[in-house]
Amino acid sequence: MAKEEPLNFIEHIIEDDLKGNYSPSDLRFRFPPEPNGYLHIGHASSICLNFGLGETYNAPVNLRFDDTNPAKEEQEFVDAIKRDISWLGFEWAEERYASDYFQQLYDWAVQLIKDGKAYVDSQTSILIAEQKGTPNEPGVESPFRNRPVVESLALFEQMKNGEEGEGSHVLRAKIDMASGNMLMRDPVMYRVLHKHHHRTGTDWKIFPMYDWTHGESDYIEQVSHSLCTLEFLPHRELYDWFLDQVYDASKLRPKQREFARRNLSHTVVSKRKLLKLVEEGVVSGWDDPRMPTISGLRRRGYTPQSIRNFAESIGVGKRENIIDVSHLEFNVREDLNKRAPRVMTVLDPLKVVITNYPEDKEEWLVAENNPEDVSAGDREVPFSRELYIEKEDFREEANRKFFRLKLGKEVRLKNAYIIQADSVEKDADGNVTTVYCTYDEESKSGSGTEASQRKVKGTLHWVSAKHALPVEVRLYDRLFTEPAPDGHKEKDFMEFINPNSLEVITAYAEPSLASLNVEDTVQFQRLGYFTVDKDSSEAKKVFNRTVPLRDSWAKLDKTN
Ligand code: ATP
Ligand code: MG
């Protein structure tokens, strides 16, 4: 059963437990999202960690919705979370909800009151907060702390029955108002909320707090290792205190262990902040391709494998850090390089006329779909007298390092012929509108002739003008100009939004693109990876640029 080295520190903990009194069949994990938004790339790390442990140790992993705050939770988010985890390729053992345990949690809470370990506090939340004290000063005990058990029991029941208004009372654990750990100073276990819950409807008027819910849910499900992010480290003492109150020694006792949150540069990974981007219309929705959500990345053209590889490569850590987004982009490039068929599309067209090519002639030339994958086969692309090339691929004059088309020089057109630029036509402003070229009929790619094997420095992609398929292309850039938009004390993250994160253009594609379906991904040769967006219609295909072929920001960062 033991996993081979190298182990991460969580796996070391598990291996040590397996050497101690845990048996392999005791192992059980969970991924516990709150359904108050869509999953993001930070969650992907937690998903890959928990489900990865499940795969390594052949142990069940539950999907548990931490749904204790009816004000913010919705079925839409539950559905999206399930869709995203499945898309990543993981299977949960059981779908559970903290709300499944509301009755059990309530019964336990009643027992705590009876045991003198919990009481109803009828002060305002403001007063309760004031009495908490500071880390260096003990808190003040509530005047209700020693209220008779029967009184607390009666009030708690009235709270449950909806007879008490929101904010009128809370149930608090009676622990230690002088504890060095502020969380142990009589934490709130329940509050009154007269809100509709996405699953329990209006059945419950009191809702348990995170700390009271989480460990007890782990205990109910017999989760062996409850892994959460580092900010919960101080909660561990409370997690254990709550477990002590209900723990039966014949059962497995869950343990909470903490790992570092993963942050990504040039974005925010917090559902609350992502919600703000959605609500303020900065993006078109949770699955806007600029969002760091799983569904946004999916729509952008990321593959499940690329996200899993990314999570795997950054691993599990004990210290928080920011991972540069270029690392995520590297992973998707690497994966798509293997999978994505190559096609030719011109984003910024310049017309080329081949003066010695017959006007009424057209040829269908053989093009390899993927040099990285022979099994991907070939396709045919049409060639004719008038073509489009990329504007930036032509200059009237240029130095020796410019290996693209310039007057008097030759280049190869990918999968086609060698051409030479002879003259240009310009508009009134002096911009080149047409380049007149001649082609070498003997130089056809793959024809085996001597001319076809002649070495020329540059190879350009192109599209036959007559056959070109106009498509909409959405070019995305980073959503924030700053690497750490939420790392500033005086400035709100919203102040760093990149105003140029989306550019929409019409491009000209080879006709084979007409047969692609939503979510198909291709490489536009020399440009990058692009995927078909769901906004595509019969009349017009829409492509999202997943990532350019090269990291243009790396250059920028260096020159800055
Ligand atoms: P958010 O602030 O985005 O709402 P959260 O931690 O409140 O994040 P949950 O739905 O409670 O979101 O998270 C589910 C699980 O995912 C938790 O175990 C949490 O610790 C983990 N998680 C959330 N964000 C990250 C992150 N950036 N890196 C690693 N794990 C994360
Ligand atoms: Mg949260």
Side-chain angles (χ1 to χ4, degrees):
M1 171 58 42
K3 197 195 165 194
E4 281 172 29
E5 307 278 335
L7 305 179
N8 63 46
F9 80 95
I10 297 283
E11 288 165 343
H12 273 293
I13 293 172
I14 295 169
E15 294 289 335
D16 285 346
D17 286 339
L18 288 173
K19 283 180 207 138
N21 55 357
Y22 283 65
S23 73
S25 62
D26 288 334
L27 298 181
R28 183 181 286 270
F29 307 94
R30 92 287 173 258
F31 173 66
E34 183 181 357
N36 62 346
Y38 281 57
L39 297 179
H40 51 62
I41 188 71
H43 292 114
S45 281
S46 177
I47 292 169
C48 291
L49 170 62
N50 284 292
F51 285 95
L53 289 169
E55 286 175 0
T56 303
Y57 293 102
N58 196 19
V61 185
N62 285 352
L63 170 59
R64 175 173 347 119
F65 290 100
D66 206 345
D67 58 345
T68 56
N69 185 358
K72 293 190 177 155
E73 296 157 4
E74 290 171 30
Q75 187 60 40
E76 177 200 342
F77 299 138
V78 169
D79 297 338
I81 288 169
K82 287 165 63 177
R83 193 162 58 233
D84 288 347
I85 299 172
S86 298
W87 178 76
L88 283 174
F90 294 112
E91 272 178 55
W92 50 88
E94 289 177 49
E95 178 180 337
R96 299 289 190 103
Y97 293 81
S99 57
D100 294 339
Y101 313 136
F102 281 173
Q103 186 62 47
Q104 173 67 80
L105 290 168
Y106 176 79
D107 294 342
W108 276 332
V110 167
Q111 192 55 49
L112 254 67
I113 300 173
K114 287 182 181 161
D115 295 344
K117 290 181 173 169
Y119 60 96
V120 171
D121 193 337
S122 307
Q123 303 183 97
T124 62
S125 56
I126 297 170
L127 217 50
I128 292 174
E130 279 172 10
Q131 292 164 354
K132 272 258 151 142
T134 66
N136 305 319
E137 269 172 77
V140 175
E141 292 189 356
S142 162
F144 297 99
R145 196 171 201 262
N146 294 313
R147 114 189 295 166
V149 166
V150 282
E151 208 176 294
S152 277
L153 280 176
L155 275 169
F156 191 45
E157 192 171 347
Q158 286 167 30
M159 287 160 65
K160 173 184 187 261
N161 294 339
E163 293 158 29
E164 304 293 336
E166 289 190 8
S168 55
H169 315 274
V170 290
L171 184 74
R172 294 176 74 180
K174 194 191 279 190
I175 307 180
D176 179 5
M177 288 304 289
S179 171
N181 181 348
M182 300 284 287
L183 292 163
M184 299 299 280
R185 295 185 183 178
D186 290 13
V188 173
M189 294 172 65
Y190 276 92
R191 71 261 202 235
V192 176
L193 286 174
H194 292 247
K195 297 216 163 60
H196 184 270
H197 184 277
H198 70 105
R199 292 187 79 238
T200 61
T202 53
D203 290 354
W204 290 87
K205 316 287 184 196
I206 52 171
F207 289 89
M209 302 298 287
Y210 172 87
D211 288 304
W212 170 236
T213 311
H214 207 89
E216 317 310 281
S217 301
D218 289 337
Y219 180 60
I220 293 168
E221 293 174 22
Q222 289 286 280
V223 167
S224 57
H225 298 80
S226 178
L227 309 173
C228 59
T229 37
L230 273 180
E231 70 273 19
F232 288 98
L233 188 57
H235 294 247
R236 199 203 279 186
E237 191 181 355
L238 183 54
Y239 181 99
D240 286 331
W241 190 91
F242 278 137
L243 273 185
D244 286 338
Q245 311 313 311
V246 303
Y247 178 59
D248 160 356
S250 69
K251 294 213 166 137
L252 181 139
R253 188 183 164 104
K255 29 168 109 167
Q256 174 186 302
R257 291 295 179 269
E258 307 81 13
F259 62 95
R261 199 168 261 278
R262 293 303 189 190
N263 303 301
L264 192 66
S265 78
H266 298 92
T267 193
V268 288
V269 281
S270 148
K271 280 178 277 177
R272 186 176 53 79
K273 290 176 184 158
L274 295 173
L275 176 66
K276 192 161 175 194
L277 295 173
V278 173
E279 284 179 340
E280 302 208 351
V282 173
V283 294
S284 64
W286 286 97
D287 69 348
D288 184 298
R290 290 166 292 179
M291 291 281 269
T293 51
I294 309 276
S295 52
L297 291 168
R298 176 179 181 173
R299 192 168 164 196
R300 177 84 170 249
Y302 276 74
T303 55
Q305 196 59 51
S306 64
I307 294 174
R308 289 172 67 154
N309 290 351
F310 168 73
E312 181 75 22
S313 69
I314 59 178
V316 186
K318 287 188 183 177
R319 210 169 295 155
E320 257 205 49
N321 60 354
I322 300 179
I323 313 287
D324 199 278
V325 65
S326 62
H327 188 61
L328 179 65
E329 293 169 346
F330 168 83
N331 276 280
V332 76
R333 262 188 215 110
E334 197 183 49
D335 193 41
L336 290 177
N337 182 40
K338 290 181 233 147
R339 305 171 190 264
R342 275 55 171 169
V343 295
M344 293 195 286
T345 301
V346 171
L347 298 184
D348 188 13
L350 172 65
K351 186 167 256 179
V352 164
V353 177
I354 313 224
T355 50
N356 60 339
Y357 195 88
E359 251 171 73
D360 50 0
K361 183 172 174 182
E362 71 176 48
E363 285 176 272
W364 288 77
L365 305 172
V366 177
E368 200 180 5
N369 283 334
N370 189 349
E372 302 286 321
D373 175 10
V374 203
S375 72
D378 296 329
R379 69 186 186 291
E380 291 192 322
V381 287
F383 187 85
S384 64
R385 180 183 160 93
E386 297 197 357
L387 312 168
Y388 293 126
I389 64 168
E390 230 43 85
K391 221 172 246 161
E392 63 170 28
D393 281 341
F394 173 75
R395 286 196 206 151
E396 287 180 83
E397 283 174 54
N399 67 22
R400 286 186 303 131
K401 290 208 179 115
F402 186 78
F403 295 135
R404 291 169 273 172
L405 190 61
K406 56 188 165 186
L407 286 177
K409 294 286 177 200
E410 288 188 324
V411 291
R412 172 168 290 286
L413 294 178
K414 181 94 190 149
N415 306 311
Y417 298 97
I418 292 173
I419 59 167
Q420 173 176 315
D422 303 321
S423 63
V424 295
E425 190 171 284
K426 295 182 182 178
D427 65 13
D429 299 326
N431 300 312
V432 175
T433 53
T434 310
V435 185
Y436 293 96
C437 299
T438 40
Y439 85 121
D440 176 354
E441 194 181 352
E442 294 298 309
S443 66
K444 187 157 137 186
S445 293
S447 64
T449 63
E450 210 171 295
S452 76
Q453 281 157 33
R454 198 162 84 233
K455 288 268 174 285
V456 286
K457 276 267 163 69
T459 301
L460 306 186
H461 63 280
W462 53 274
V463 167
S464 162
K466 184 165 66 178
H467 302 88
L469 179 74
V471 295
E472 178 176 322
V473 174
R474 298 177 180 172
L475 302 168
Y476 300 103
D477 205 340
R478 295 167 183 188
L479 198 45
F480 293 92
T481 52
E482 276 284 293
D486 50 5
H488 294 256
K489 286 222 167 62
E490 324 80 62
K491 287 193 173 175
D492 188 64
F493 74 99
M494 296 292 274
E495 291 184 43
F496 299 109
I497 287 169
N498 176 4
N500 304 314
S501 61
L502 171 62
E503 187 190 348
V504 182
I505 60 169
T506 296
Y508 293 94
E510 62 169 78
S512 75
L513 271 67
S515 62
L516 295 180
N517 297 311
V518 175
E519 287 194 1
D520 281 349
T521 291
V522 288
Q523 184 195 89
F524 288 180
Q525 280 180 309
R526 299 179 63 231
L527 298 173
Y529 295 98
F530 293 75
T531 190
V532 182
D533 191 77
K534 65 178 183 184
D535 287 347
S536 297
S537 64
E538 277 294 310
K540 193 186 218 176
K541 284 241 145 48
V542 177
F543 285 87
N544 296 320
R545 182 172 66 193
T546 311
V547 67
L549 274 194
R550 273 172 292 276
D551 183 358
S552 56
W553 280 69
K555 251 190 281 165
L556 260 184
D557 291 344
K558 268 189 213 125
T559 51
N560 277 344

